Amino acid sequence: MLARRRREYFWLMGGCLVLFVSAWGFVRLWSVPAAVAMCVVAMVIPPVAAMVANRRGPDDRWWDDPSGDPKSDEWWDELDGKRKS
């Protein structure tokens, strides 16, 4: 799951950079309003990319690190269906 989210994040951020650089690199030569519109779209992408990268999948656990308490870790594993008692 992490690899998929990371890939989506980099695609979104790459698209953001392409929009921004192309807007002021050569689109502004033909149309400044189009370049500004491209920058507005590029401005919206980073927060969306952050939401995509931090989205919780159906089988993701945000607290994956063991707590150090074996009883608590066993309880969480049982809740996640990793270990049946």
Side-chain angles (χ1 to χ4, degrees):
M1 291 294 183
L2 177 64
R4 179 185 53 80
R5 288 194 315 256
R6 185 179 295 162
R7 193 171 33 253
E8 289 175 1
Y9 174 81
F10 283 117
W11 273 107
L12 284 167
M13 292 306 290
C16 175
L17 286 173
V18 166
L19 279 171
F20 186 75
V21 170
S22 64
W24 297 112
F26 57 88
V27 172
R28 70 176 169 88
L29 300 173
W30 290 284
S31 173
V32 172
V36 170
M38 288 171 68
C39 282
V40 168
V41 170
M43 179 182 66
V44 173
I45 292 175
V48 172
M51 286 185 271
V52 165
N54 291 311
R55 181 177 57 214
R56 182 179 183 272
D59 54 345
D60 286 344
R61 222 172 106 188
W62 289 104
W63 49 88
D64 281 337
D65 295 332
S67 67
D69 178 15
K71 189 154 182 86
S72 175
D73 293 338
E74 181 181 323
W75 184 75
W76 281 112
D77 287 341
E78 182 181 335
L79 281 179
D80 287 341
K82 292 182 180 175
R83 190 181 312 152
K84 302 280 185 206
S85 294

